[in-house]
Amino acid sequence: MPQWVHNHGRGIKVKVDVDTCTACQLCYDRLPEVFVDRGDGIPIVMLKVALEKVYEELLQVAEDCPSGSILISWTE
Ligand code: SF4
């Protein structure tokens, strides 16, 4: 059963599966406006800028996550 760290609202949900995340640091190295090391290498999601400013890169980082641990879904 996957465990998740932090969702975010405003039309989008970003989840990190802490069971599969390998703490490779890629997401917070590439996109510190969205991902922050919680202290053990696992990122928490903390959107610090308008979503529109990071949207394309967020999709790319989710795609590039080597373990596929970043899941994005859209809310109504
Ligand atoms: S890119 Fe993926 S595997 Fe690497 S730290 Fe981020 S969520 Fe974890």
Side-chain angles (χ1 to χ4, degrees):
M1 194 67 178
Q3 298 176 24
W4 306 103
V5 289
H6 214 284
N7 293 355
H8 204 281
R10 306 218 323 236
I12 193 169
K13 284 185 185 175
V14 183
K15 297 180 179 182
V16 174
D17 185 339
V18 302
D19 290 342
T20 57
C21 171
T22 60
C24 75
Q25 306 181 6
L26 177 146
C27 55
Y28 41 87
D29 281 353
R30 289 246 312 260
L31 203 48
E33 299 90 345
V34 178
F35 300 98
V36 180
D37 181 358
R38 71 178 186 184
D40 60 357
I42 304 290
I44 56 173
V45 182
M46 201 179 289
L47 187 61
K48 301 175 197 158
V49 296
L51 177 63
E52 298 73 32
K53 291 188 176 183
V54 293
Y55 184 72
E56 295 296 328
E57 179 69 358
L58 176 58
L59 297 185
Q60 193 61 54
V61 166
E63 192 173 317
D64 292 345
C65 169
S67 57
S69 300
I70 301 171
L71 302 183
I72 295 174
S73 58
W74 286 263
T75 58
E76 299 193 18

